[in-house]
Amino acid sequence: MESRYARQLVHWGDENQEKVAAASVLVAGVGGLGATVSQLLARAGIGRLYLVDDGIVDWPDLNRQLLYGEADIGRPKLQLAAERLHAINSSTDIVLLEGRINDAFRVPDGLTAVADCLDNYQSRFLLDALTPDGVYLVHGGLQGDHGQVLTLLSGRSQRLADIFAGATQPEGNIPVTPDSVAIISGLMTNELFATLFGQPKLLDRCLVISLIDFHISFLQV
Amino acid sequence: MVEVQFFSLLRLLLKQDRISLPASKGETIMQLLQRMQEQLTTPFLHKLIDAEGGLHPGTIILVNRRNIHHLQGLQTPVNDQDVVAMFPPGAGG
């Protein structure tokens, strides 16, 4: 019987697979971005996933949050995500962090990378500020047909709050579609693997994607 | 020359991803934006600046990678060889 990782091993090899298996990644937010990022990491055989989210599943989540379905309405995302991810790959150690990203939140020791899959600037800035020096943070965000992915190395890069200073949360619901969330999540995961392999492609370089005309560009930060 | 880069919705609005302008001694970001508005055929300042002359929160402006909020805001001086980037980031997830 072929290994469950056979198709990716022929692409990135045994040495990188060992890096994936040895990695601990904090996925902050298991909503639109985080439900897909965490799923892709689990499918790839990530060693340990820390998850944080205090939300419950609601109808407007179902267009893009790929771990949940109709029967999950009203249930906590965190527990559901753990169940679904364990069913996908029982070899991934899943650790649930209760609560939300605030001043009392403690980032676990021994992280390889942090995935910023949050949906508001205040929490994103705090997550970045709490990320220990030497740990990569991969940020993703989107709105309508536009999105961005950026990697910061804590302690060396500018802080997310400094780069995005003055950006405030838009009022009302932010437009997000199933396809745009899947694309940005996929790009974030690709970059997370690159950081695990020691070769981030977006360090201090923000990938800006416009799906409306398939344009990509890079913003140096 | 000063290079001004446009990202995302601003790139689409202006139908170009950058413009180079001759540097003007002592010019500020605000004056540079006004000069660009005169040169470009598409009005865009209303997307960036509110009625009181403040910067709308939806777009960040970086000068040589530094957010102007950490410099002198719209009064940040712009010099020859500077790179100015204007980017409305996506807030959702």
Side-chain angles (χ1 to χ4, degrees):
Chain A
M1 189 171 67
E2 275 192 305
S3 155
R4 68 188 298 157
Y5 306 123
R7 299 297 186 273
Q8 66 202 43
L9 284 172
V10 294
H11 175 62
W12 63 39
D14 291 337
E15 189 177 332
N16 281 337
Q17 185 63 38
E18 287 168 10
K19 292 176 181 174
V20 172
S24 293
V25 176
L26 166 60
V27 177
V30 283
L33 295 171
T36 298
V37 167
S38 60
Q39 182 179 168
L40 296 178
L41 292 174
R43 288 186 183 279
I46 201 84
R48 175 173 290 181
L49 278 178
Y50 292 96
L51 307 178
V52 58
D53 196 309
D54 69 346
I56 61 170
V57 179
D58 197 2
W59 286 103
D61 299 333
L62 298 188
N63 79 323
R64 68 196 184 283
Q65 302 190 14
L66 302 188
L67 287 175
Y68 318 119
E70 293 180 5
D72 301 323
I73 298 297
R75 293 185 62 196
K77 292 180 186 178
L78 201 59
Q79 281 71 30
L80 286 165
E83 291 171 20
R84 305 284 150 74
L85 294 171
H86 181 76
I88 288 167
N89 192 341
S90 60
S91 66
T92 292
D93 184 20
I94 297 165
V95 181
L96 304 185
L97 305 175
E98 302 288 344
R100 59 188 304 126
I101 305 292
N102 57 25
D103 290 327
F105 181 76
R106 291 290 168 265
V107 173
D109 293 329
L111 286 179
T112 316
V114 173
D116 167 13
C117 301
L118 298 165
D119 62 0
N120 68 88
Y121 286 120
Q122 186 180 8
S123 298
R124 292 178 187 280
F125 295 166
L126 191 52
L127 176 71
D128 176 49
L130 293 170
T131 298
D133 285 359
V135 174
Y136 288 110
L137 178 136
V138 176
H139 155 84
L142 73 158
Q143 199 161 329
D145 281 322
H146 307 274
Q148 74 274 346
V149 181
L150 166 66
T151 300
L152 301 174
L153 181 57
S154 190
R156 202 200 79 175
S157 301
Q158 292 192 71
R159 286 295 183 199
L160 198 63
D162 292 334
I163 297 165
F164 286 170
T168 57
Q169 204 64 17
E171 292 182 10
N173 294 323
I174 296 173
V176 276
T177 59
D179 52 323
S180 60
V181 172
I183 289 165
I184 299 300
S185 302
L187 291 167
M188 287 182 72
T189 310
N190 180 278
E191 177 65 359
L192 281 162
F193 289 136
T195 65
L196 302 188
F197 303 157
Q199 297 175 322
K201 293 169 279 191
L202 298 176
L203 181 59
D204 303 322
R205 196 165 79 114
C206 186
L207 171 65
V208 181
I209 305 108
S210 292
L211 297 173
I212 200 164
D213 60 352
F214 285 153
H215 185 276
I216 65 167
S217 51
F218 295 93
L219 169 65
Q220 304 291 337
V221 300
Chain B
M1 300 293 279
V2 176
E3 180 173 297
V4 184
Q5 302 171 343
F6 311 115
F7 292 88
S8 191
L9 290 167
L10 282 170
R11 176 187 62 83
L12 285 166
L13 175 71
L14 297 173
K15 298 182 175 62
Q16 55 192 313
D17 64 2
R18 67 194 63 214
I19 183 173
S20 290
L21 298 166
S24 178
K25 192 171 175 60
E27 191 172 47
T28 67
I29 279 284
M30 186 69 202
Q31 291 166 332
L32 176 76
L33 293 175
Q34 289 167 336
R35 185 154 63 101
M36 279 170 47
Q37 172 112 307
E38 292 168 8
Q39 184 163 331
L40 297 168
T41 54
T42 307
F44 70 96
L45 265 182
H46 63 289
K47 299 279 188 187
L48 299 173
I49 311 294
D50 62 27
E52 285 76 44
L55 189 61
H56 279 309
T59 299
I60 61 170
I61 300 178
L62 308 181
V63 176
N64 302 329
R65 303 184 176 203
R66 304 290 297 180
N67 191 307
I68 62 170
H69 273 267
H70 296 299
L71 301 171
Q72 297 172 50
L74 290 168
Q75 301 310 308
T76 300
V78 184
N79 300 302
D80 192 33
Q81 304 296 314
D82 280 353
V83 176
V84 178
M86 299 193 292
F87 172 44

